[in-house]
Amino acid sequence: MDPETVRKHFDRIGRIRVLVIGRSNAGKTTLLQRVCNTTELPEVFNAKGEQANNGQRGDHDIENELIFRSNRRFIFHDSRGFESGSVSELELMKKFIADWATKKQLAQRVHAIWFCIPMSESERPVVAAEEQFFNECNTEHVPVIVLLTKADAMRGQAIGKLRDEDMEMKEALVEAESLATQMLSEVSTKIGNQLGRCRYPPKSYLAMSGMNKEAADCEPLIRCTTNALDEVELQKLVVSAQQVNFDLNIEWAVR
């Protein structure tokens, strides 16, 4: 897409708005930093457009907008997920999605939801309250992508499992990669089966690893999000908004 066309679309639609859901240890902030190619914390703005404490959770408000100075084409809304297990948290999220996913103006809508499930807690990947979200929260108007964050944690779990089987450390280090891949596949299948039975299942699943590295590759996430969207203009805007993979921009420019 040529720069002038991109500018016109951004003038009309505004920015890409993503709701990020996940527990406090799901790696959400690190993920967003990689997407926006920065190590800085985001600026936080309340519903009135007033700047709040940068990067501080404080009194958490899902209505707040998180914007990184390195890439202002993305607007993020952060939900702390269901770590508290409270009914009010679920009701708050249901209302937010109902309000923001069906706004008349495309520019005002939430365009995608990234639901983060940390593989560092793969022994209980989906808690009851999270499953309740997929049964009760109507997401027919906005695609939900389940991100299996911290997928590289499976390697440590694989090493531990092999050591428990009395394998020598040197050999365990060699065998761990293959076992970790197998374990991740099994957990992913389990999550897919569990959430696939829900009333409002996710549209896509994606394992994310290495996000703690500044050179982490976010192309799979951008592709997955783009493919999950129904609006062609939004698809191209997501690709244009990301600034870390120019080959992807070129690929979509010729479509």
Side-chain angles (χ1 to χ4, degrees), residues 95 104 115 119 131 138 187 197 204 222 242-243:
K95 183 180 185 305
K104 291 184 178 180
F115 198 108
M119 291 297 92
E131 186 172 1
N138 188 341
V187 173
R197 294 190 295 267
S204 301
I222 299 300
Q242 64 87 31
Q243 300 174 350

Side-chain angles (χ1 to χ4, degrees), residues 2-230:
D2 65 89
E4 180 61 21
T5 302
V6 170
R7 185 190 64 77
K8 289 180 179 179
H9 283 324
F10 271 111
D11 287 345
R12 185 176 70 82
I13 298 177
R15 292 172 282 188
I16 301 301
R17 191 180 299 270
V18 180
L19 169 61
V20 187
I21 302 174
R23 309 165 206 169
S24 59
N25 63 341
K28 293 179 294 181
T29 300
T30 302
L31 174 67
L32 301 187
Q33 287 173 326
R34 294 294 82 78
V35 169
C36 293
N37 196 25
T38 184
T39 57
E40 296 182 355
L41 292 174
E43 297 175 329
V44 182
F45 299 89
N46 61 26
K48 297 180 181 180
E50 301 167 337
Q51 190 164 351
N53 293 332
N54 286 359
Q56 301 297 318
R57 284 180 75 93
D59 294 328
H60 192 93
D61 189 343
I62 194 174
E63 298 281 345
N64 285 347
E65 296 182 345
L66 279 62
I67 302 174
F68 289 88
R69 282 180 289 181
S70 61
N71 189 343
R72 295 185 177 276
R73 289 180 171 180
F74 282 103
I75 297 176
F76 299 106
H77 292 267
D78 177 24
S79 168
R80 58 188 170 190
F82 308 101
E83 52 201 335
S84 61
S86 67
V87 175
S88 60
E89 191 70 33
L90 177 61
E91 293 303 317
L92 182 68
M93 200 174 306
K94 286 165 64 176
K95 183 180 185 305
F96 177 86
I97 293 174
D99 290 345
W100 286 80
T102 57
K103 288 183 179 292
K104 291 184 178 180
Q105 296 295 323
L106 186 60
Q108 298 300 317
R109 296 179 196 167
V110 165
H111 304 120
I113 297 175
W114 294 343
F115 198 108
C116 301
I117 299 178
M119 291 297 92
S120 54
E121 300 180 13
S122 60
E123 70 282 354
R124 59 178 191 96
V126 180
V127 299
E130 290 171 333
E131 186 172 1
Q132 189 177 1
F133 166 85
F134 288 99
N135 274 317
E136 297 184 14
C137 191
N138 188 341
T139 56
E140 291 181 336
H141 299 287
V142 55
V144 180
I145 302 165
V146 167
L147 302 180
L148 308 181
T149 58
K150 300 185 178 182
D152 35 354
M154 301 300 288
R155 187 172 188 275
Q157 296 176 30
I159 292 174
K161 184 175 182 179
L162 293 171
R163 292 288 288 150
D164 288 342
E165 296 173 357
D166 296 326
M167 182 177 289
E168 293 293 331
M169 176 59 79
K170 185 176 181 179
E171 186 179 357
L173 291 173
V174 174
E175 298 294 331
E177 196 67 37
S178 176
L179 179 58
T181 300
Q182 177 186 331
M183 292 169 62
L184 178 60
S185 177
E186 291 173 353
V187 173
S188 179
T189 299
K190 180 180 179 181
I191 293 173
N193 290 338
Q194 184 177 355
L195 299 183
R197 294 190 295 267
C198 295
R199 184 176 182 182
Y200 304 107
K203 191 163 186 178
S204 301
Y205 300 83
L206 181 67
M208 303 291 295
S209 61
M211 290 297 107
N212 58 322
K213 302 174 183 177
E214 289 188 33
D217 183 12
C218 292
E219 179 184 341
L221 174 57
I222 299 300
R223 284 187 181 277
C224 189
T225 303
T226 301
N227 293 333
L229 294 167
D230 294 326

